[in-house]
Amino acid sequence: MPAHESTTTSLMVPTGAEVVLRVLEEQGVEVIFGYPGGAVLPIYDALFERKTIRHILVRHEQAAVHAAEAYARSTGKVGVVLVTSGPGATNAVTGLTDAKMDSIPIVCLTGQVPVPLIGKDAFQEADVVGITSPVTKKSTLVRDPAELAPTLREAFELARSGRPGPVLVDLPKNITVSEAPLPPAPQKSAAAPAKESVDEAAIARAVDAMKKAKKPLFYTGGGVINAGDEASDLLRELAKRTGFPVTSTLMGLGAFPASNDHFLGMLGMHGAVEANMAAHDCDVLIALGARFDDRVTGRVDGFSPHSFKIQADIDPREFGKIIPSDVKLQGDLKATLKALLAAWGDTKPSDLSAWWQDIAAWRAINGFGYEQGKDAKASIKPQHAVRRLYELSKKTGRDTFVSTEVGQHQMWAAQFFGFDAPRHWLTSGGLGTMGYGLPAAEGVQVAHPDALVIDIAGEASTLMNIQELGTIVQYRLPVKIFILNNHYLGMVRQWQELVHNSRYSQSYSDALPDFVKLAEAFGIKGLRATTLGELDSTIEAMLAHDGPVLVDVHVTEEESCYPMIPSGATHDQMLLGSGKVVGGAELTEEGKRLV
């Protein structure tokens, strides 16, 4: 056969690398976050002249997953990651674990050594499936080119369906360079979509309890956001019709407007006094897409001890895992909220005036209170810095997204930055991953190029993935990095102060970089505020700049984050900054030591 005929024939059958990209296009993928290496070079070569998929070159594979997480969280789409074999794949494990804990839909494509070399300690070989299976919904090694397209299609379906989460596909190099079949995608049925099923008897029991409630409370979580924007709209309507107050987990912020009078704020270890006291004293607790995380419940046997508990979740494994529920509403949360609204109907809200009076009294305690000096030379309280950032960014009228790192600044951001819409708050909840916020901000900015994207950060967490400043510059992402710099691992210091008699073992950093010079070294505008008089003008300069900015805000070093529920305590045993115990309940011995 002449050479030109052989070439023509080979071009008619795609390689595995081409199949990968065609399936991604078929799935509507527009962006990949990745880092190349030898095992995935065939895919990168196939990507070279493609115009349909944009690739963002991160500086570390962990950052690729965090960026994809935030892209997914802020858009509702599946985030896609492409990394090489061995260390490329193992560097992604932290991000995959983070996505699993927070139910974020990710498809991670990893390179692998050729199939014949697997198990022979080849260069950059790692048992990626074995390593990642516990932290993904599914991890699959493709051993046959015929398995490639079906495996990739299944990965996307699995990532986005049910309770979302990360799925990994491990791609040996010989699979991506070999010819591979690309069967047509399965046709979706043209028939009417199946009716969203709900347990009508369980809905009836739930609504009956809600109608009889004297002290009801909606306890909402990240599952409301994962269920789509319509679920947030339905939640608002349900709160309006019932007149019930609403509280939220860290991951659920934005599902219900912070500016709504019915919103009590975040509950949990560093939650609002009114939210925690309402959770403790309520007689009917309606948990919507929330998993009773230990940072929310405090001491499990004392959590909401007087309430009839209604739990709605898409994942049946969550029922009774931590807190027993009296009514279980399993299924898609949108369908559940629609059914609750239908069953409630035109019922007039009960007289909850006494309950709202209790809530008003708890609000008056002002658990988030702090004392900010008024002199222009006064040191900056971190709470005040976040509050002014919120107020000044709101004045811009821009669509604003906030990512955070992990620590005290994360809690202050949750306490003092209000969110009125879902998908605008990006944080690491379940895993608590330092280094999440900076790559998350770049992922959000890629998804929303015209939005105002701010990473509220601590100096220690910022350094975890500081190399991503290079990605921000390369792709001209106008991300704003707002560092609350107290020289400490702040939350570690706070616990050392309260629990370990102020023995600050390895929690102080006295060799920090000059963040302004560091930003400028990357080609980013650097600003600094060290006193109260400099704060507002520095924030305004940051917001006015049309490119990326890093702001180094020097805040009071030994400020602690309150309220705080001590370990082993209940929601009516919160500590305030003054040392006062809210509720006056008897503390555990550990709680007494903290006071």
Side-chain angles (χ1 to χ4, degrees):
M1 180 181 294
H4 71 275
E5 291 185 15
S6 176
T7 303
T8 302
T9 302
S10 66
L11 289 176
M12 293 175 64
V13 181
T15 65
E18 291 164 342
V19 168
V20 169
L21 295 182
R22 290 191 195 180
V23 173
L24 296 188
E25 290 169 341
E26 166 196 301
Q27 295 294 325
V29 174
E30 297 174 343
V31 180
I32 296 172
F33 299 90
Y35 200 95
V40 287
L41 282 185
I43 300 175
Y44 275 91
D45 188 62
L47 185 66
F48 183 70
E49 293 184 351
R50 241 175 180 82
K51 305 299 182 185
T52 55
I53 299 177
R54 184 183 184 193
H55 182 278
I56 303 297
L57 176 63
V58 297
R59 287 353 186 220
H60 192 284
E61 292 87 354
Q62 177 187 347
V65 186
H66 293 329
E69 282 186 272
Y71 179 93
R73 179 81 168 168
S74 67
T75 63
K77 302 175 182 178
V78 176
V80 179
V81 177
L82 175 60
V83 297
T84 196
S85 61
T90 58
N91 280 348
V93 171
T94 297
L96 292 171
T97 311
D98 192 271
K100 178 74 180 303
M101 292 285 282
D102 287 343
S103 304
I104 309 299
I106 298 292
V107 169
C108 182
L109 308 177
T110 56
Q112 183 55 276
V113 301
V115 172
L117 295 181
I118 291 176
K120 298 179 180 177
D121 295 329
F123 177 67
Q124 291 194 333
E125 180 191 357
D127 180 5
V128 175
V129 170
I131 291 168
T132 61
S133 288
V135 298
T136 57
K137 291 183 75 173
K138 186 175 182 179
S139 289
T140 304
L141 171 66
V142 179
R143 290 180 173 270
D144 186 323
E147 300 171 359
L148 182 56
T151 300
L152 291 169
R153 287 166 176 159
E154 180 194 35
F156 278 89
E157 179 61 25
L158 189 57
R160 65 167 72 97
S161 64
R163 180 176 179 171
V167 179
L168 183 140
V169 181
D170 201 24
L171 303 170
K173 189 170 184 178
N174 66 308
I175 299 296
T176 57
V177 298
S178 299
E179 294 180 348
L182 181 59
Q187 293 294 314
K188 294 183 179 180
S189 174
K195 181 181 178 182
E196 295 170 322
S197 62
V198 294
D199 184 338
E200 294 183 0
I203 291 289
R205 292 197 303 275
V207 171
D208 180 64
M210 290 164 63
K211 288 180 178 179
K212 294 175 181 176
K214 301 298 182 184
K215 299 179 178 182
L217 180 67
F218 285 120
Y219 155 44
T220 61
V224 180
I225 296 173
N226 286 344
D229 293 353
E230 184 184 358
S232 295
D233 295 337
L234 292 167
L235 171 62
R236 298 177 194 203
E237 179 63 22
L238 188 58
K240 179 180 178 180
R241 284 211 219 161
T242 60
F244 293 1
V246 180
T247 185
S248 170
T249 67
L250 179 72
M251 293 301 294
L253 293 175
F256 192 81
S259 59
N260 191 298
D261 289 340
H262 284 224
F263 188 59
L264 307 188
M266 180 179 71
L267 83 164
M269 178 176 284
H270 293 290
V273 168
E274 52 269 35
N276 284 335
M277 290 301 295
H280 184 270
D281 282 11
C282 69
D283 60 2
V284 174
L285 182 72
I286 308 102
L288 302 172
R291 60 185 182 87
F292 295 98
D293 177 77
D294 61 286
R295 295 288 160 148
V296 164
T297 62
R299 200 178 78 227
V300 170
D301 63 0
F303 174 73
S304 195
H306 315 296
S307 67
F308 181 89
K309 296 176 180 66
I310 301 163
Q311 184 178 2
D313 205 290
I314 198 168
D315 187 352
R317 294 171 298 181
E318 289 300 323
F319 297 118
K321 187 174 78 174
I322 297 172
I323 300 291
S325 51
D326 298 290
V327 177
K328 303 172 182 63
L329 304 175
Q330 194 272 321
D332 179 78
L333 197 56
K334 290 194 298 294
T336 298
L337 288 167
K338 288 176 182 177
L340 290 172
L341 279 165
W344 184 271
D346 296 327
T347 304
K348 292 184 178 180
S350 302
D351 181 6
L352 302 178
S353 57
W355 182 225
W356 280 107
Q357 286 175 9
D358 289 343
I359 291 170
W362 293 324
R363 277 176 166 162
I365 293 172
N366 190 22
F368 292 153
Y370 60 92
E371 295 182 5
Q372 173 61 64
K374 302 300 183 184
D375 188 273
K377 295 183 179 179
S379 62
I380 302 168
K381 293 284 186 176
Q383 303 96 317
H384 182 71
V386 175
R387 173 55 66 179
R388 290 304 292 153
L389 176 64
Y390 168 60
E391 292 169 345
L392 292 171
S393 63
K394 194 172 183 179
K395 285 184 178 181
T396 67
R398 298 179 64 188
D399 194 21
T400 302
F401 294 78
V402 170
S403 68
T404 76
E405 309 293 339
V406 169
Q408 286 180 317
H409 66 272
Q410 177 190 31
M411 294 298 102
W412 285 318
Q415 291 173 345
F416 293 97
F417 206 105
F419 298 93
D420 282 345
R423 304 195 182 282
H424 286 65
W425 164 250
L426 298 309
T427 198
S428 173
L431 193 61
T433 307
M434 291 178 70
Y436 171 89
L438 186 54
E442 68 190 26
V444 175
Q445 194 77 79
V446 167
H448 306 273
D450 297 324
L452 172 60
V453 179
I454 305 170
D455 172 27
I456 298 178
E459 78 289 341
S461 278
T462 301
L463 290 173
M464 286 279 186
N465 271 315
I466 192 68
Q467 75 285 338
E468 292 310 304
L469 293 179
T471 303
I472 287 170
V473 171
Q474 179 170 340
Y475 295 98
R476 297 178 176 83
L477 304 176
V479 168
K480 317 303 181 192
I481 303 122
F482 192 77
I483 299 175
L484 302 179
N485 188 345
N486 60 10
H487 283 257
Y488 276 100
L489 301 175
M491 197 62 81
V492 173
R493 183 208 59 77
Q494 180 168 336
W495 278 83
Q496 288 175 332
E497 178 180 303
L498 293 173
V499 181
H500 298 286
N501 298 319
S502 298
R503 294 192 297 274
Y504 302 127
S505 176
Q506 303 303 311
S507 55
Y508 184 78
S509 300
D510 60 0
L512 291 173
D514 182 324
F515 282 105
V516 171
K517 288 183 178 178
L518 181 59
E520 291 171 347
F522 276 93
I524 291 175
K525 186 178 183 66
L527 300 171
R528 181 179 290 113
T530 59
T531 62
L532 179 64
E534 298 171 342
L535 180 64
D536 279 16
S537 60
T538 302
I539 294 174
E540 288 167 346
M542 177 192 81
L543 296 174
H545 187 64
D546 60 3
V549 182
L550 186 150
V551 179
D552 182 19
V553 184
H554 290 206
V555 297
T556 308
E557 287 192 355
E558 296 184 353
E559 191 74 10
S560 291
C561 186
Y562 289 104
M564 178 180 176
I565 300 175
S567 177
T570 53
H571 285 71
D572 61 337
Q573 299 173 328
M574 285 169 284
L575 301 181
L576 301 185
S578 61
K580 179 182 177 182
V581 181
V582 174
E586 183 67 19
L587 281 173
T588 61
E589 288 304 312
E590 182 176 358
K592 290 176 181 177
R593 288 201 307 274
L594 298 187
V595 175

